[in-house]
Amino acid sequence: MPSRRGKARSARSGATRRPAKRHPTADALARKIESRSANLAVVGLGYVGLPLAVEFAQAGFHVLGIDVDAARVRRLTAGESYIRDVPTGDVRALVRSGHLQATTDFAALKRADVVNVCVPTPLSKQRDPDMSFVLAASEQVAKHLRPGMLVILESTTYPGTTDELILPLLEKTGLKVGRDFFLAFSPERVDPGNARFNTRNIPKVVGGVTRACTEAAVLLYRQRLEAVVPVSSPQVAEMVKLLENTFRSVNIGLVNEIALLCRRLKIDVWEVIEAAATKPFGFMPFYPGPGLGGHCIPIDPFYLSWKARASGFETRFIELAGHINGQMPAHVVDLVAESLNRRGRAVRGSRVLVLGVAYKADIDDIRESPSLDILQTLVERGAHVEYSDPYVPTLEFAGRKLRSVPLTATNLKRFDCVVIATAHRSIPFATVLRHAKGVVDTRNALKGKRSDAIVRL
Ligand SMILES: NC(=O)c1ccc[n+]([C@@H]2O[C@H](COP(=O)([O-])OP(=O)(O)OC[C@H]3O[C@@H](n4cnc5c(N)ncnc54)[C@H](O)[C@@H]3O)[C@@H](O)[C@H]2O)c1
């Protein structure tokens, strides 16, 4: 039986030494992976699962996607992508060649040799980890677990999840990890909308429950991904992801606080950051903004603080950054009030256009978007709100279906204030400035423009 913990090895794929002797089950799985005859299943076909399924299918594996969302499964089966970063042409070709299939039926797991779990990990109403999706998916995997299977959790989660939550579920079957089946955690680091880095060229961190588990997972990813980084345990891999996202949250919190201070001191924070970023070492630019958004940065650090609390430890940086970042949408609304005030108007009764409701530039994802908080707060203060976003044609908001307002001169002139909340590259910012009565710029989209109509964050 292999030792329970492998050691962290070289950061480049290809550098992991093959063990002198592998258990027959591990050996059989390795042969299937290397010959591409292993059947792969990806559970959860969203922003993470679909690109991963497509990469493996393009590597020549037969990949079965399983999702509880019947509409997504129908679209995939028809060869259509619903994720912007995944071209429909790629999906169609893979569906036609039979390398990619999708289903809502978990019985299909019976045929799987490898299962990647990519389901959501949101927060509960109390802002604690909501593990219900991971548990539901893992129970299905447990039902169909059989000797020789490799199970990898990719959903972002607190350190200890794989060992404490998933492993007992799978071992209840009587099968033994590292001998009969293999279990690992590998965080997904995909950055939607990033044209340079994608599932294939972002190094993949992998931590298995046993050394054999790590080796099996590393071998799988090496078939397609450019770099694989084995670490000594699932806990390390789980913590890596939370460190990365906490690092972003804390640094954004710091720069948001500096932005608030700079405003008080009448210093242009954007100019400060740009100049500071010329330092060739020891400084990494982060930018202020209207608040955190997306499925990761506003949520993941609270997985860590929850785990810390359970261990009697207080994560003060996380709480403080959460507090500062959480105040930013209200601060933006104060800037709207300032913009209107300059022209002798009140928020109540004014017409405000929020420009960009996706949580970041050049994507269509509105999850946790600070624009939604800004819209909500403006409504509470009596403003009439509309929005414009080239990537979000309609928006369910406060029980109404809003439509994206086209950015024409006539439309822009209808509003008392325009809030630039997301700087999509395709937005004609010069046109916005030319026709808007007042603009609150939270993204420095109007960099270099001088006008009394602009209020900058
Ligand atoms: N979106 C990102 O940029 C990103 C980046 C890195 C990591 N992550 C993490 O990856 C995980 C997945 O995120 P996502 O953005 O892909 O989510 P998503 O909501 O886009 O996709 C999740 C999919 O899982 C499906 N699903 C839910 N419960 C299921 C179940 N029991 N069985 C099968 N399918 C189920 C949903 O229908 C959905 O299609 C999360 O833990 C997230 O934190 C996301």
Side-chain angles (χ1 to χ4, degrees), residues 95-116:
V95 169
R96 279 202 187 140
S97 69
H99 284 90
L100 183 64
Q101 287 175 292
T103 179
T104 54
D105 184 3
F106 284 87
L109 283 174
K110 268 192 266 185
R111 297 197 304 276
D113 299 295
V114 177
V115 186
N116 285 76

Side-chain angles (χ1 to χ4, degrees), residues 43-49 66-69 72 82-83 106 118-122 132-134 136-137 140 154-157 187-192 241 245 295-296 300 359 365 367:
V43 178
L45 298 165
Y47 288 90
V48 166
I66 306 179
D67 203 295
V68 291
D69 184 336
R72 287 194 154 177
Y82 41 78
I83 302 283
F106 284 87
C118 310
V119 296
T121 43
S132 58
F133 301 90
V134 168
Q140 290 293 344
E154 296 219 5
S155 304
T156 305
T157 186
E188 181 49 64
R189 298 158 130 180
V190 70
D191 181 21
K241 175 73 186 175
N245 284 358
H295 191 320
C296 296
D300 300 349
Y359 77 86
D365 190 349
R367 289 179 297 178

Side-chain angles (χ1 to χ4, degrees), residues 338-405:
E338 183 183 320
S339 166
L340 292 168
N341 197 39
R342 282 187 190 176
R343 280 162 288 124
R345 290 199 60 103
V347 176
R348 181 166 298 282
S350 287
R351 302 176 74 95
V352 182
L353 181 74
V354 173
L355 193 42
V357 289
Y359 77 86
K360 68 172 186 175
D362 307 327
I363 65 164
D364 59 0
D365 190 349
I366 61 163
R367 289 179 297 178
E368 309 284 325
S369 171
S371 299
L372 305 176
D373 291 332
I374 293 169
L375 284 165
Q376 181 63 38
T377 311
L378 284 167
V379 166
E380 284 163 11
R381 289 180 62 173
H384 303 293
V385 295
E386 294 187 59
Y387 85 98
S388 179
D389 193 310
Y391 296 102
V392 186
T394 60
L395 179 71
E396 299 285 342
F397 173 72
R400 284 192 301 144
K401 189 171 190 172
L402 304 183
R403 281 185 193 289
S404 174
V405 172

Side-chain angles (χ1 to χ4, degrees), residues 1-181:
M1 166 130 178
S3 71
R4 207 173 133 67
R5 294 276 177 258
K7 274 202 179 119
R9 282 151 291 192
S10 156
R12 289 285 126 186
S13 70
T16 313
R17 265 183 301 114
R18 187 172 283 208
K21 195 163 179 290
R22 256 195 306 232
H23 190 278
T25 325
D27 224 26
L29 175 64
R31 277 199 304 275
K32 280 187 186 178
I33 290 173
E34 282 169 330
S35 65
R36 305 287 196 275
S37 63
N39 286 317
L40 271 46
V42 175
V43 178
L45 298 165
Y47 288 90
V48 166
L50 183 59
L52 185 73
V54 164
E55 285 299 339
F56 281 140
Q58 285 176 334
F61 288 101
H62 283 95
V63 184
L64 184 68
I66 306 179
D67 203 295
V68 291
D69 184 336
R72 287 194 154 177
V73 166
R74 257 196 314 275
R75 289 176 75 176
L76 276 187
T77 305
E80 190 193 325
S81 171
Y82 41 78
I83 302 283
R84 281 190 70 81
D85 290 342
V86 178
T88 277
D90 289 2
V91 171
R92 193 177 305 134
L94 293 168
V95 169
R96 279 202 187 140
S97 69
H99 284 90
L100 183 64
Q101 287 175 292
T103 179
T104 54
D105 184 3
F106 284 87
L109 283 174
K110 268 192 266 185
R111 297 197 304 276
D113 299 295
V114 177
V115 186
N116 285 76
V117 177
C118 310
V119 296
T121 43
L123 291 174
S124 70
K125 283 205 173 74
Q126 293 75 37
R127 299 194 77 69
D128 288 340
D130 174 357
M131 300 307 293
S132 58
F133 301 90
V134 168
L135 279 174
S138 305
E139 273 159 14
Q140 290 293 344
V141 174
K143 237 192 234 173
H144 299 99
L145 192 71
R146 55 182 171 72
M149 239 186 188
L150 166 64
V151 180
I152 307 174
L153 178 63
E154 296 219 5
S155 304
T156 305
T157 186
Y158 60 84
T161 305
T162 308
D163 260 351
E164 295 160 16
L165 215 62
I166 318 291
L167 181 59
L169 261 178
L170 301 187
E171 283 200 327
K172 245 197 222 163
T173 57
L175 297 176
K176 183 94 192 106
V177 74
R179 185 191 68 199
D180 303 324
F181 73 94

Side-chain angles (χ1 to χ4, degrees), residues 353 355 388 390 405-412 418 426-428 431-432 435:
L353 181 74
L355 193 42
S388 179
V405 172
L407 291 178
T408 61
T410 319
N411 279 341
L412 285 163
V418 176
S426 60
I427 292 178
T431 308
V432 173
H435 301 292

Side-chain angles (χ1 to χ4, degrees), residues 125-298:
K125 283 205 173 74
Q126 293 75 37
R127 299 194 77 69
D128 288 340
D130 174 357
M131 300 307 293
S132 58
F133 301 90
V134 168
L135 279 174
S138 305
E139 273 159 14
Q140 290 293 344
V141 174
K143 237 192 234 173
H144 299 99
L145 192 71
R146 55 182 171 72
M149 239 186 188
L150 166 64
V151 180
I152 307 174
L153 178 63
E154 296 219 5
S155 304
T156 305
T157 186
Y158 60 84
T161 305
T162 308
D163 260 351
E164 295 160 16
L165 215 62
I166 318 291
L167 181 59
L169 261 178
L170 301 187
E171 283 200 327
K172 245 197 222 163
T173 57
L175 297 176
K176 183 94 192 106
V177 74
R179 185 191 68 199
D180 303 324
F181 73 94
F182 308 95
L183 174 63
F185 180 82
S186 179
E188 181 49 64
R189 298 158 130 180
V190 70
D191 181 21
N194 189 326
R196 185 159 165 230
F197 292 110
N198 50 45
T199 302
R200 191 167 183 198
N201 65 8
I202 299 172
K204 196 89 173 94
V205 171
V206 177
V209 174
T210 69
R211 176 178 231 153
C213 296
T214 307
E215 281 167 0
V218 166
L219 185 68
L220 172 78
Y221 289 121
R222 250 203 250 146
Q223 305 306 309
R224 182 65 177 174
L225 308 190
E226 288 178 9
V228 183
V229 186
V231 294
S232 62
S233 68
Q235 286 94 328
V236 169
E238 289 157 342
M239 191 71 182
V240 165
K241 175 73 186 175
L242 294 186
L243 169 62
E244 290 166 5
N245 284 358
T246 300
F247 173 84
R248 284 191 61 74
S249 165
V250 167
N251 279 288
I252 294 168
L254 170 66
V255 83
N256 276 333
E257 186 170 69
I258 295 289
L260 298 176
L261 171 65
C262 280
R263 202 173 158 70
R264 180 79 53 99
L265 300 179
K266 298 195 172 18
I267 296 169
D268 181 344
V269 69
W270 305 97
E271 190 184 350
V272 172
I273 297 167
E274 198 175 306
T278 60
K279 187 177 178 187
F281 53 87
F283 182 82
M284 185 187 286
F286 282 82
Y287 298 95
L292 298 180
H295 191 320
C296 296
I297 312 296

